[in-house]
């Protein structure tokens, strides 16, 4: 099937649904800056999401943000800092699509207080560390610590199915807290690197469970996969590790799915991870110091089409508080999308509008080389059209007078020489023409980082930090 799927009969989002700073940034784009093609980020939103998650987790839980989701330095800094006085408010009300939003029918005062903290991030605490999968991400995480709290030792957890000798050398040299090991061969490579560097390395064995009771957009467990060691082979992996002089197995890592919205099912998954870890460590004679349960928390990309509801953090946190966790054992969560999805917006100017055999196409100064997420899985990523041509009563440019679509479905495509460069199909717009800007919300995760920037060599999308209510007429451009 074609991706993304048809959205008919869905209508585009109203421009007024976008936060005021985003609308201001799009409408005030300087004439000399070229066509609009940018990501706008609100680090304060990411910080509030991190604080909201922390407010729901027990004291034994730690949060190590997955840098791969969004590596923009102001986002990393905000997540690490939390919602302290240095994080400005964006002036934007939290909506039901925010990761911390949950039902408000509290049964007790304590539950009501917890819900309030979850929505506002009242605890103020940010993340505990970062999950990294490359030497580049290690450097980004270390730099964030240097900017936010240079006296604090970076807490880094390393993951990924294809760790080369070069990467393992970088990870060991950086003194990461734990390397999540994915195979027998990787155990041997890590031991060889540690021996050469004169180190003993803390490792966790990544497990591919035989069964996974979670649904999600991506599944890495409970099936044949490049990720982790099959559950039945874990005892043999532990026997091998026991014979490797430079490996110290401290626990287990499980990351089975991405994009799960069912809090009750996720609680059951964490319960299984803990039970498996305790049982397996006891049999192998391992001191269990860490259980990394990965991320996998979903966000509601399609509340308007499929009725997606936010992940219920309060219900999840209450369930976690009843789980037995051995003394001295850290339980690590590796969220990515949940913390940053709603902190970013991808905006691209309309270059052309054309009709072809019954379909109206809107062609952007952008595409999957900037924003590939809509083509990577079976979701409809809705957008808003921000009018700019002939605005404020000014004259309408000559080239836009005939190239206009009103009240009809459009397919939104990019500027690349491939039909795969399609961001949305069959979404009805009130009006769109060249010079307007199409804005995709919920673009803060796996957007800029997940794209194909070098195909055809078009300029990359700019990354721009919005500074909340202190937003200037044109925001600061922060690139890295």
């Amino acid at each position: 099937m074609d991706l993304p799927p048809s959205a008919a009969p869905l209508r585009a989002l109203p421009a007024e649904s976008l936060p005021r700073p985003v609308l201001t940034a799009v409408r005030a784009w300087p004439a000399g800056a070229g066509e609009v093609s940018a990501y706008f980020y609100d680090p304060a939103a990411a910080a509030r999401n991190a604080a909201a998650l922390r407010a729901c987790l027990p004291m034994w839980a730690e949060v190590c943000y997955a840098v791969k989701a969004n590596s923009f330095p102001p986002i990393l800094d905000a997540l690490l800092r939390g919602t302290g006085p240095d994080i400005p408010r964006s002036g934007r009300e939290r909506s039901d699509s925010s990761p911390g939003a949950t039902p408000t029918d509290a049964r007790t005062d304590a539950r009501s207080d917890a819900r309030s903290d979850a929505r506002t991030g009242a605890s103020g605490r940010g993340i505990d560390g970062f999950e990294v999968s490359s030497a580049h991400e290690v450097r980004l995480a270390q730099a964030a610590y240097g900017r936010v709290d240079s006296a604090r030792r970076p807490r880094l957890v390393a993951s990924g199915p294809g760790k080369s000798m070069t990467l393992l050398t970088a990870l060991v040299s950086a003194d990461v807290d734990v390397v999540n090991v994915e195979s027998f061969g990787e155990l041997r490579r890590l031991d060889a690197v540690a021996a050469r560097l004169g180190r003993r390395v803390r490792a966790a064995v990544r497990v591919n469970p035989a069964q996974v009771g979670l649904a999600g957009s991506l599944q890495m467990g409970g099936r044949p996969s490049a990720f982790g060691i099959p559950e039945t082979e874990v005892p043999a992996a532990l026997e091998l590790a026991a014979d490797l002089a430079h490996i110290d197995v401290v626990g287990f890592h499980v990351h089975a799915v991405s994009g799960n919205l069912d809090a009750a099912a996720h609680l059951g998954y964490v319960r299984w991870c803990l039970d498996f870890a305790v049982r397996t460590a006891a049999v192998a004679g391992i001191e269990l110091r860490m259980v990394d349960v990965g991320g996998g928390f979903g966000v509601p990309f399609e509340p308007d089409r499929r009725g997606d509801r936010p992940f219920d953090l309060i219900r999840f946190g209450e369930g976690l508080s009843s789980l037995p966790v051995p003394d001295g054992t850290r339980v690590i969560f590796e969220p990515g999308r949940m913390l940053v999805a709603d902190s970013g917006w991808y905006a691209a100017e309309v270059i052309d509008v054309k009709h072809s055999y019954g379909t109206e196409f809107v062609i952007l100064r952008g595409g999957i080389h900037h924003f590939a997420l809509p083509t990577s899985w079976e979701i409809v990523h809705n957008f808003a059209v921000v009018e700019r041509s002939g605005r404020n009563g000014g004259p309408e440019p000559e080239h836009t007078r005939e190239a206009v679509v009103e009240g009809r479905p459009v397919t939104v495509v990019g500027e690349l020489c491939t039909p795969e460069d399609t961001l949305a199909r069959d979404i009805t717009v009130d009006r769109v023409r060249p010079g307007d800007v199409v804005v995709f919300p919920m673009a803060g995760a796996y957007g800029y980082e997940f794209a194909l920037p070098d195909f055809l060599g078009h300029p990359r999308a700019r990354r721009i930090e919005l500074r909340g209510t202190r937003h200037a007429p044109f925001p600061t451009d922060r690139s890295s």
Side-chain angles (χ1 to χ4, degrees):
M1 66 176 296
D2 290 330
L3 292 179
S6 172
L10 190 67
R11 298 192 68 88
L13 302 169
E16 293 73 22
S17 68
L18 300 173
R20 187 182 302 273
V22 175
L23 283 173
T24 301
V26 169
R27 289 169 173 160
W29 190 273
E35 294 84 7
V36 178
S37 185
Y39 281 90
F40 297 102
Y41 295 115
D42 180 3
R48 288 194 300 274
N49 290 339
L53 175 60
R54 280 259 36 125
C56 292
L57 297 180
M59 292 301 295
W60 44 255
E62 296 186 1
V63 178
C64 290
Y65 167 70
V67 176
K68 63 177 71 66
N70 186 327
S71 62
F72 190 40
I75 292 286
L76 302 184
D77 294 356
L79 289 169
L80 196 58
R81 187 181 295 118
T83 54
D86 293 333
I87 300 293
R89 292 274 179 178
S90 70
R92 175 169 62 92
E93 294 293 331
R94 294 189 68 87
S95 69
D96 284 346
S97 63
S98 302
T102 50
T104 57
D105 53 341
R107 292 190 296 268
T108 65
D109 290 342
R111 182 178 174 89
S112 180
D113 291 344
R115 287 191 182 279
S116 177
D117 286 352
R119 289 194 195 92
T120 63
S123 71
R125 184 176 169 188
I127 61 174
D128 298 286
F130 294 101
E131 183 265 326
V132 296
S133 298
S134 70
H136 177 62
E137 290 186 352
V138 169
R139 292 190 292 271
L140 287 169
Q142 290 174 328
Y145 273 98
R147 290 186 298 269
V148 173
D149 188 355
S150 59
R152 186 173 164 191
R153 179 184 177 276
R155 179 166 293 180
L156 308 180
V157 176
S159 302
K163 302 186 195 71
S164 65
M165 293 290 282
T166 300
L167 175 55
L168 290 171
T169 298
L171 295 175
V172 175
S173 298
D175 194 25
V176 300
D177 273 24
V178 179
V179 177
N180 291 329
V181 176
E182 306 259 354
S183 71
F184 290 83
E186 188 174 300
L187 271 171
R188 295 187 179 94
R189 292 196 301 276
L190 181 59
D191 183 67
V193 167
R196 175 164 50 84
L197 296 178
R199 306 279 186 88
R200 195 159 190 262
V201 179
R202 295 175 295 276
V205 173
R206 179 167 182 175
V207 182
N208 179 353
Q211 293 183 328
V212 175
L214 288 179
S217 55
L218 298 172
Q219 190 160 341
M220 291 79 75
R223 61 174 61 182
S225 172
F227 298 93
I229 296 172
E231 181 182 338
T232 55
E233 299 178 21
V234 169
L238 297 176
E239 289 181 9
L240 170 62
D243 292 333
L244 301 175
H246 299 274
I247 300 294
D248 177 18
V249 174
V250 297
F252 302 93
H253 176 218
V254 187
H255 182 78
V257 302
S258 292
N260 172 55
L261 289 170
D262 187 336
H266 213 95
L267 178 63
Y269 157 76
V270 174
R271 183 183 293 109
W272 180 90
C273 291
L274 289 170
D275 179 67
F276 172 87
V278 170
R279 287 187 289 104
T280 306
V283 171
I286 293 171
E287 179 188 357
L288 184 63
R289 286 161 276 170
M290 187 202 83
V291 181
D292 185 338
V293 297
F297 304 108
V299 295
F301 279 108
E302 297 194 72
D304 43 6
R305 192 176 79 104
R306 298 196 304 196
D308 289 349
R309 299 296 300 163
F311 187 96
D312 191 338
L313 277 178
I314 299 298
R315 181 179 184 183
F316 183 64
E318 290 175 342
L320 288 178
S321 65
S322 66
L323 296 182
V325 177
D327 290 341
T329 299
R330 295 186 291 158
V331 180
I332 297 176
F333 293 88
E334 299 175 355
R337 184 177 289 110
M338 171 179 271
L339 300 189
V340 297
D342 71 345
S343 70
W345 297 260
Y346 173 61
E349 186 166 332
V350 177
I351 301 302
D352 203 356
V353 175
K354 61 189 292 186
H355 180 89
S356 178
Y357 296 108
T359 298
E360 309 288 350
F361 287 91
V362 173
I363 303 174
L364 305 181
R365 161 73 264 274
I368 60 173
H369 54 314
H370 296 166
F371 186 49
L373 186 60
T375 65
S376 65
W377 55 354
E378 195 176 343
I379 65 166
V380 169
H381 205 126
N382 206 351
F383 59 84
V385 176
V386 179
E387 292 192 13
R388 296 175 74 245
S389 300
R391 63 192 187 281
N392 299 324
E396 183 174 328
E398 183 69 30
H399 67 275
T400 70
R401 291 181 181 174
E402 295 183 1
V404 60
V405 173
E406 293 182 307
R408 296 198 300 277
V410 300
T411 290
V412 179
V413 301
E415 60 192 338
L416 301 183
C417 300
T418 169
E420 295 181 0
D421 191 9
T422 302
L423 302 184
R425 298 181 193 274
D426 306 323
I427 293 181
T428 299
V429 297
D430 290 337
R431 177 179 171 90
V432 64
R433 54 186 166 171
D436 293 341
V437 176
V438 171
V439 180
F440 291 86
M442 300 293 286
Y446 301 102
Y448 183 92
E449 289 75 10
F450 193 58
L452 310 168
D454 292 331
F455 184 51
L456 298 194
H458 286 298
R460 296 188 179 214
R462 294 171 66 180
R463 292 188 292 177
I464 296 171
E465 177 183 1
L466 300 178
R467 295 187 176 275
T469 54
R470 288 181 255 175
H471 170 63
F474 188 67
T476 306
D477 190 351
R478 295 280 297 274
S479 300
S480 62

